[in-house]
Amino acid sequence: MIGIQNLTKTYKTKHGTVKGVDEVSLTIKRGEIYGIVGYSGAGKSSLLRCINLLERPTSGTITVDGTDLTSLKGEELRLARLKIGMIFQHFYLISQKTVFENIAFSLKAANYPKGQIKERVEELLATVGLAEKRDVYPAQLSGGQKQRVGIARALANNPKVLLCDEATSALDPTTTKSILNLLKKINKELNITIVLITHEMNVVKEICHRMAIMQEGRVIEEGSVYDLFASPRAELTKEFIESVVSFDVPEAILKNCEGPIIKVTFKGKVAGEGVISDMLQQCNVKGNFLHGSIEYIQELPLGIFIMELKGQKDEVKRALQYIEDRAAQVEVLRDGR
Ligand SMILES: Nc1ncnc2c1ncn2[C@@H]1O[C@H](COP(=O)(O)OP(=O)(O)OP(=O)(O)O)[C@@H](O)[C@H]1O
Ligand SMILES: [Mg+2]
């Protein structure tokens, strides 16, 4: 749906050129929710703004729904951009216009048939659950409601892609959840491809199918959210994941352990199938749980446990083998004494 090839965006400033995006290539599939994560200044907004040519790439190409946007100009580009809606952290609503007028504005700007505007706005208000706020001004809305207007406005011209720049970063956790649920619904029911940038891994874990991690303008790791949570490779990916699922065991506790300390990762259905309890029955070892949880990443379980194995060396070895044969991954964090 979206093809980004060798995209570079540099900015000329008083102090020389700054690289916002550095040789990024990504493919975002039709119908997916794709997350782009990175710290401040990593180049997320620069990349997103290049997707709809709000920012013209310095080099590289952007293809959306089969059209190379970088080759278009004027009216052709304007029409192609109608296929791409965008929402922002700070909403950017027009304060002198009512909710109805804010949404109608983007229809008028796209030459939507005059006689159908009222009906379309009302349909959009129903989609975002804001029918009763039709005639109020933005100042009378909560942050979550403002974002709903932003979403209605972005959907007005039936886009195929929705770009979200930190769309929930100004919202509290409960409101964030409700906006994420709305985005999920839009993705499913309207089959809109969503690209979402955020620095919050919770957001990614909640709704994204795949994700990319950016650092200094580059994509350093990319893949399915589930796989990255199960086996991150880059240090930065690990750091982001640890912000939502942390497995730190205090050194004071580790110090008292004698047996090897292992981290076991179970993927999918097997996470709940009692591999560890079976192992404890089959092998003559004791398991001392130090940490553990089953995370649900879009309803798919991912179990991660940290435990000390206590027992005779050969029994411990057999136990390790038993788990290794059944778990996705076993990592020995520390050898036994
Ligand atoms: N218009 C601009 N002019 C000059 N430099 C810019 C401009 N926009 C972005 N940059 C620079 O490009 C780099 C990437 O910025 P960008 O806004 O894309 O980061 P970001 O990942 O979105 O950060 P944040 O999480 O803070 O929004 C930064 O070094 C930034 O200073
Ligand atoms: Mg940004």
Side-chain angles (χ1 to χ4, degrees), residues 310-329:
K310 286 177 168 171
Q312 298 282 335
K313 258 205 166 109
D314 52 337
E315 280 299 310
V316 167
K317 208 171 150 196
R318 201 160 73 83
L320 268 175
Q321 192 60 50
Y322 186 95
I323 308 175
E324 236 160 53
D325 291 344
R326 290 160 183 83
Q329 266 161 256

Side-chain angles (χ1 to χ4, degrees), residues 49-297:
R49 289 199 302 257
C50 281
I51 295 179
N52 62 357
L53 255 67
L54 214 57
E55 206 81 81
R56 197 162 262 282
T58 309
S59 61
T61 56
I62 302 281
T63 318
V64 175
D65 203 20
T67 309
D68 174 6
L69 294 189
T70 38
S71 70
L72 303 181
K73 282 199 190 81
E75 183 63 7
E76 276 184 333
L77 178 60
R78 195 186 69 81
L79 288 175
R81 284 171 77 178
L82 287 180
K83 285 188 194 164
I84 311 171
M86 188 161 182
I87 57 174
F88 307 88
Q89 178 176 4
H90 300 298
F91 326 118
Y92 299 125
L93 304 180
I94 307 165
S95 56
Q96 305 89 334
K97 290 188 190 290
T98 64
V99 165
F100 181 96
E101 290 161 353
N102 262 279
I103 302 168
F105 186 76
S106 48
L107 290 167
K108 285 179 193 154
N111 301 323
Y112 202 83
K114 259 210 169 103
Q116 293 167 30
I117 287 183
K118 182 171 169 287
E119 193 187 341
R120 179 65 183 145
V121 173
E122 278 163 2
E123 188 178 78
L124 288 158
L125 283 171
T127 302
V128 301
L130 218 56
E132 78 280 15
K133 299 288 179 190
R134 184 187 188 278
D135 298 313
V136 311
Y137 288 88
Q140 296 161 269
L141 299 175
S142 70
Q145 290 166 340
K146 284 181 193 160
Q147 195 55 289
R148 284 173 191 269
V149 180
I151 292 172
R153 188 183 53 185
L155 297 181
N157 294 298
N158 288 307
K160 295 192 172 167
V161 172
L162 179 65
L163 307 177
C164 313
D165 191 343
E166 302 277 3
T168 58
S169 298
L171 307 175
D172 65 57
T174 310
T175 313
T176 292
K177 213 154 196 172
S178 78
I179 294 294
L180 294 181
N181 283 336
L182 176 59
L183 291 177
K184 256 194 223 179
K185 180 179 110 167
I186 287 165
N187 169 253
K188 248 197 183 135
E189 291 175 9
L190 306 178
N191 196 27
I192 292 180
T193 306
I194 297 182
V195 187
L196 177 155
I197 66 183
T198 180
H199 55 266
E200 292 170 289
M201 280 304 273
N202 263 327
V203 169
V204 171
K205 181 170 162 254
E206 190 80 27
I207 70 166
C208 295
H209 306 120
R210 291 196 304 137
M211 67 184 279
I213 313 267
M214 283 189 82
Q215 186 174 35
E216 293 175 4
R218 284 190 218 106
V219 168
I220 58 161
E221 192 163 4
E222 200 247 354
S224 94
V225 171
Y226 191 89
D227 289 343
L228 291 186
F229 267 79
S231 22
R233 279 174 285 121
E235 273 314 306
L236 185 63
T237 314
K238 286 182 192 160
E239 207 173 296
F240 268 106
I241 288 166
E242 277 165 16
S243 70
V244 280
V245 278
S246 160
F247 291 98
D248 273 348
V249 181
E251 191 53 41
I253 304 273
L254 291 176
K255 217 172 62 195
N256 292 328
C257 295
E258 290 174 3
I261 294 167
I262 59 170
K263 179 179 178 188
V264 190
T265 305
F266 295 104
K267 281 188 184 182
K269 208 161 74 62
V270 77
E273 280 181 351
V275 171
I276 292 180
S277 61
D278 289 351
M279 175 278 287
L280 293 172
Q281 276 182 354
Q282 307 264 336
C283 310
N284 191 17
V285 293
K286 285 203 164 116
N288 175 23
F289 280 101
L290 301 169
H291 220 315
S293 78
I294 298 180
E295 293 294 323
Y296 292 88
I297 298 167

Side-chain angles (χ1 to χ4, degrees), residues 11 13 18-20 38-46 49 166:
Y11 300 98
T13 70
V18 180
K19 242 182 199 170
Y39 287 128
S40 188
K44 306 180 298 293
S45 296
S46 301
R49 289 199 302 257
E166 302 277 3

